[in-house]
Amino acid sequence: MPLTDLTLAECLALRPDLDEPADLDAFWARTLRTARAAGAPPRYTLEDTGLTQVTTYDVTVPGFAGEPVRGWLHLPAGAEGPHGCVVEFLGYGRGRGLPHEQVLWANAGYAHFIMDTRGQGWSTAAGATPDTASRHGDVPGFLTRGVDSPDDHYYRRVHTDAVRFTEAARVHPAVDPDRVVVTGHSQGGGIALAVAGLVHGLAGVMPDTPFLCDIRRAALIAGAPPYTEIAEYLSLHRDRVETVFTTLSYVDAALLAARATAPALFSIAMMDAVCPPSTCFAAYHLYGGAKDLKVYEFNGHEGGAGHHRRAQLAWVRALFSTSRPADPGVSTVHDPQLA
C-alpha cells in the first residue's frame, strides 16, 4: 500500500478551503426541526443474547421524517447507572449485525448505542432499517442517491437519523447525558463528525479514518470505492458537476465538523486509498473543538484497528474521569505496539 496522497508534512500544513453553502445552518435547522416533530417515542425491547455480563435491547428510534431506525443498546449487566455512553455509527455497507457481535464498550462499563444505517447491511453485517426513498439514475451505492438536490440526498436522511439516535441515547434513563461520546470508523466516522456539528453538549467525538470529508477532493483522488461512485456518475452526467458537488456540500462532514465544540480524538491512515488522508486532515483542521490525533503512517483504511480501539478506551476513560483527556497533540504511530 504505497503513499497515494499528500505526505504527512503536507497534510499537517494543509489549510483546506471548502465551498460552504450560505444556507448550511438554516438547511440543517429546518431538517432537524421537522424530524423532531415526527415519529413515535423510542422503543426498547430486551434481547436474549446468551451473554451474562451485557444486557442488550433491540432499539427503534424515530429518524428522518419519523421513520423507524433500528439499533442495539448494550449495558453492563448489573451495574448501576447512569453510565457514560458511546454512540456508534457504522462503516459503509455494514448493518447493525447480530446483538452479541459488538460488546466492547459495554464490557468497558459504558452504555453502548449502535445505530443501524438505513438501506445498508449488505457488507460484513446485516441491517434492519430500510431507506424509503426511491432510486432513479444513481450509481449503485449511496453517494449519488438523490444527488440532484440537498433535500433529497441520502445522507441528509442518514445524518438526521444519527442526530435523533444520539438524542434518544442522551435521554435514556441508563445514560448520563453529560457523558456521551459519538464514534465510528469510515462512514461511521463521517457521520460522527456530522453529529458533532449538529448536536450541542456532547462530551467527545472519535472519528476513525472518516469518510464524507472534503468530498469534492475525494472524488478526484480516491483510488477505491465508495468515492469512485461520484466519478462514475459524473463521467456520464457531464453537465451536472456543480449540481452534484453543491448537493454534497450540505452533507460534507468536514464542513459540519467546523461547528463542533466537543473534544475529539481523530485517527488517520496515510496509505488509505478509500478515505484519502488529505480529506481526513481537512476535517481535522476545520474541526471546531479541541482535538487530538493519531496518525498511522503504514496502514490503509483499516487504520489502527485493535490498537486504536485501545487508544480510544484510554481516551474515553480519561474523558469521563476529568473535564477532558490530557492532550497528547499529534501522535504519529510507527509501531503498532505504540498505538
Side-chain angles (χ1 to χ4, degrees):
M1 295 182 294
L3 185 68
T4 58
D5 194 5
L6 302 180
T7 67
L8 177 56
E10 290 169 330
C11 284
L12 288 169
L14 189 66
R15 294 298 175 263
D17 184 19
L18 280 58
D19 291 331
E20 179 178 310
D23 64 339
L24 182 63
D25 293 319
F27 171 84
W28 280 107
R30 170 173 57 85
T31 296
L32 296 177
R33 183 170 58 250
T34 301
R36 287 169 179 142
R43 300 195 307 274
Y44 301 91
T45 303
L46 186 64
E47 186 83 10
D48 182 5
T49 64
L51 302 178
T52 60
Q53 302 304 305
V54 176
T55 301
T56 297
Y57 294 86
D58 188 334
V59 178
T60 304
V61 170
F64 180 84
E67 295 165 354
V69 177
R70 303 289 294 280
W72 301 118
L73 165 59
H74 301 302
L75 296 171
E80 291 188 10
H83 305 284
C85 178
V86 176
V87 180
E88 184 172 2
F89 309 110
L90 301 172
Y92 199 81
R94 183 185 177 97
R96 67 174 183 165
L98 298 174
H100 63 274
E101 290 184 299
Q102 299 184 69
V103 294
L104 173 67
W105 291 106
N107 277 312
Y110 309 117
H112 183 201
F113 278 77
I114 302 172
M115 187 187 86
D116 201 31
T117 312
R118 62 169 57 227
Q120 300 191 26
W122 44 264
S123 171
T124 310
T129 305
D131 184 27
T132 57
S134 62
R135 297 177 55 182
H136 51 89
D138 49 303
V139 172
F142 304 96
L143 280 168
T144 64
R145 187 177 291 189
V147 80
D148 286 335
S149 165
D151 283 333
D152 297 331
H153 196 267
Y154 171 78
Y155 281 105
R156 181 193 185 213
R157 299 190 290 280
V158 171
H159 289 347
T160 303
D161 293 344
V163 166
R164 298 292 290 130
F165 206 84
T166 303
E167 291 173 340
R170 294 183 74 186
V171 299
H172 191 281
V175 171
D176 179 349
D178 295 323
R179 293 191 298 151
V180 174
V181 167
V182 294
T183 190
H185 174 258
S186 188
Q187 174 184 253
I191 297 170
L193 284 171
V195 170
L198 294 170
V199 176
H200 299 295
L202 294 175
V205 187
M206 296 188 295
D208 188 6
T209 62
F211 183 52
L212 299 169
C213 300
D214 197 353
I215 297 174
R216 185 163 196 153
R217 176 174 172 80
L220 289 169
I221 67 171
Y227 284 123
T228 52
E229 295 169 15
I230 303 169
E232 185 178 352
Y233 181 88
L234 291 175
S235 71
L236 177 63
H237 301 290
R238 300 170 179 86
D239 58 335
R240 299 184 186 175
V241 173
E242 294 309 316
T243 296
V244 164
F245 287 116
T246 295
T247 291
L248 291 171
S249 68
Y250 284 85
V251 298
D252 194 307
L255 290 174
L256 292 171
R259 286 136 172 90
T261 58
L265 173 64
F266 280 74
S267 80
I268 300 175
M270 294 307 297
M271 295 185 179
D272 191 342
V274 176
C275 295
S278 63
T279 67
C280 302
F281 268 98
Y284 173 76
H285 288 305
L286 289 172
Y287 189 81
K291 55 205 175 189
D292 307 328
L293 169 64
K294 283 192 174 290
V295 177
Y296 297 90
E297 284 196 275
F298 299 98
N299 287 94
H301 193 51
E302 76 284 359
H307 298 283
H308 192 63
R309 298 293 87 71
R310 182 170 59 188
Q312 289 179 324
L313 283 163
W315 192 84
V316 170
R317 180 173 57 190
L319 180 73
F320 286 168
S321 63
T322 62
S323 58
R324 70 175 301 267
D327 183 359
V330 176
S331 171
T332 303
V333 180
H334 299 281
D335 182 343
Q337 295 301 318
L338 301 178

